[in-house]
Amino acid sequence: MWQLRESAHPVLTDEGGAILDERTGRWRHLTPTASAAVMLLLAGSTEEEAAGQYAERYGIADEQAAADVRTVADALTAQGLATAEPAPRIRWWGWWR
């Protein structure tokens, strides 16, 4: 499941958005459509569901929507702001370490 890293703090609206990278102190600015893709991805849906909602929202073909959502997800992952890996689980017996 795609998700932002703990050090990434989003400010997302329909008019665009930005993500603060806490590690570097830099903001990554997003276009309105990229912001919408991130909001749909963070809503807990799968990438395919996010692409379907994105296609419906912007009235574009499913293939184009999937490519757009994948491009945004890949770009943020490449910048170290997101990950497609599940969050590590903390075991209850190792909490004191």
Side-chain angles (χ1 to χ4, degrees):
M1 180 170 129
W2 188 90
Q3 61 188 11
L4 290 175
R5 294 194 182 273
E6 286 186 27
S7 61
H9 305 282
V11 178
L12 306 169
T13 68
D14 288 335
E15 289 81 35
I19 300 175
L20 173 63
D21 185 349
E22 191 177 85
R23 297 171 299 151
T24 64
R26 292 186 154 177
W27 287 92
R28 307 288 186 199
H29 297 279
L30 303 172
T31 64
T33 53
S35 181
V38 172
M39 283 192 277
L40 292 170
L41 286 164
L42 292 176
S45 58
T46 65
E47 193 171 310
E48 293 79 23
E49 290 174 350
Q53 293 170 351
Y54 188 88
E56 184 178 318
R57 179 177 190 160
Y58 291 105
I60 59 175
D62 290 339
E63 298 80 24
Q64 182 61 52
D68 291 353
V69 170
R70 166 66 28 215
T71 299
V72 171
D74 287 348
L76 293 175
T77 301
Q79 293 174 10
L81 297 172
T83 181
E85 300 170 6
R89 295 184 64 183
I90 299 173
R91 302 196 191 293
W92 65 270
W93 61 84
W95 62 269
W96 64 88
R97 294 183 195 183

